[in-house]
């Protein structure tokens, strides 16, 4: 076999091989889009830092939604918590503006309290090992109570955080089975207190 025939055979094998390359089909689009995304982020960072922060926040949010796509209750609870904290902070700022206060001291303290209460509602719904209802719905109800308390706080600022705390604790108890447990405890105590009276009456008869 001549050198020309060997080179021609090698070329034919090179042309004919890998008729369908699934690995490259899957990988190449990721590489291209990844380079395009990295270049876009670089351009945004060079031109406007606020745009870069916004894009990164949206990417993180999209990644979080993608990771939690099969856990609807947790996704609902997280979204409700973020929106509630944002609206509560807005109501606190509106209350400061309505009272003619520009320092934002009270609104800053209230926002911190609202974030803490929203986190307490989120944590409280998942602390209970055997939750009788939907945990995400529990968080949404607690957040509605917190928004009502924030609305009251625009008129009476000192009452907002305590009212929100009491309301969230009440929602968590009622939705998490705490209300039923308290009811069972009350009935048990009532039975114990009424039992001696019934025994005494039967002895008198």
């Amino acid at each position: 076999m001549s050198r020309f025939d060997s080179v021609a055979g090698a070329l034919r094998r090179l042309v004919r091989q890998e008729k369908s390359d699934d690995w490259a089909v899957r990988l190449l689009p990721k590489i291209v889009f990844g380079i395009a995304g990295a270049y876009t982020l670089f351009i945004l960072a060079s031109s406007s830092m606020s745009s870069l922060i916004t894009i990164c926040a949206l990417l993180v949010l999209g990644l979080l939604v993608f990771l939690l796509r099969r856990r609807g209750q947790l996704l609902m609870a997280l979204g409700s918590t973020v929106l509630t904290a944002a609206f509560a902070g807005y109501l606190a700022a509106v209350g400061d503006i309505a009272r003619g206060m520009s320092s934002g001291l009270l609104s800053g303290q209230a926002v911190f309290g609202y974030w803490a209460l929203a986190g307490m509602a989120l944590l409280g719904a998942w602390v209970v090992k055997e939750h009788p209802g939907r945990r995400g719905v529990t968080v949404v109800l607690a957040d509605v109570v917190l928004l009502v308390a924030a609305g009251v706080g625009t008129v009476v600022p000192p009452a907002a955080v305590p009212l929100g705390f009491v309301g969230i604790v009440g929602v968590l108890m009622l939705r998490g089975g705490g209300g039923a447990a308290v009811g069972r405890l009350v009935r048990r105590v009532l039975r114990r207190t009424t039992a001696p009276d019934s025994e005494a009456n039967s002895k008198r008869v």
Side-chain angles (χ1 to χ4, degrees), residues 129-198:
K129 184 176 294 185
E130 296 293 336
H131 198 280
R134 302 284 186 178
R135 299 176 191 266
V137 176
T138 300
V139 176
V140 171
L141 293 176
D143 289 339
V144 170
V145 172
L146 181 57
L147 287 177
V148 172
V152 174
T154 59
V155 181
V156 187
V161 174
L163 182 62
F165 177 80
V166 173
I168 288 176
V169 169
V171 171
L172 291 177
M173 284 187 62
L174 292 175
R175 292 282 301 175
V182 172
R184 289 194 298 269
L185 179 61
V186 171
R187 287 193 296 270
R188 191 180 302 119
V189 171
L190 290 176
R191 282 198 299 268
R192 289 179 180 177
T193 55
T194 55
D197 295 337
S198 61

Side-chain angles (χ1 to χ4, degrees), residues 37-158:
Y39 179 75
T40 303
L41 291 178
F42 176 75
I43 295 298
L44 289 175
S46 302
S47 60
S48 175
M49 185 58 65
S50 61
S51 299
L52 175 65
I53 294 174
T54 303
I55 294 297
C56 290
L58 291 176
L59 288 176
V60 172
L61 181 61
L63 179 61
L64 182 63
V65 171
F66 176 76
L67 293 176
L68 297 177
R69 66 189 184 279
R70 298 184 185 277
R71 307 190 68 178
Q73 292 295 312
L74 181 58
L75 187 60
M76 181 196 306
L78 291 174
S80 176
T81 299
V82 173
L83 291 176
T84 298
F87 280 117
Y90 172 76
L91 291 175
V94 167
D96 273 358
I97 294 174
R99 288 186 295 273
M101 300 177 62
S102 59
S103 62
L105 179 61
L106 289 178
S107 63
Q109 295 174 350
V111 168
F112 180 77
Y114 295 147
W115 271 104
L117 291 177
M120 184 184 77
L122 180 63
L123 182 62
W126 264 265
V127 163
V128 181
K129 184 176 294 185
E130 296 293 336
H131 198 280
R134 302 284 186 178
R135 299 176 191 266
V137 176
T138 300
V139 176
V140 171
L141 293 176
D143 289 339
V144 170
V145 172
L146 181 57
L147 287 177
V148 172
V152 174
T154 59
V155 181
V156 187

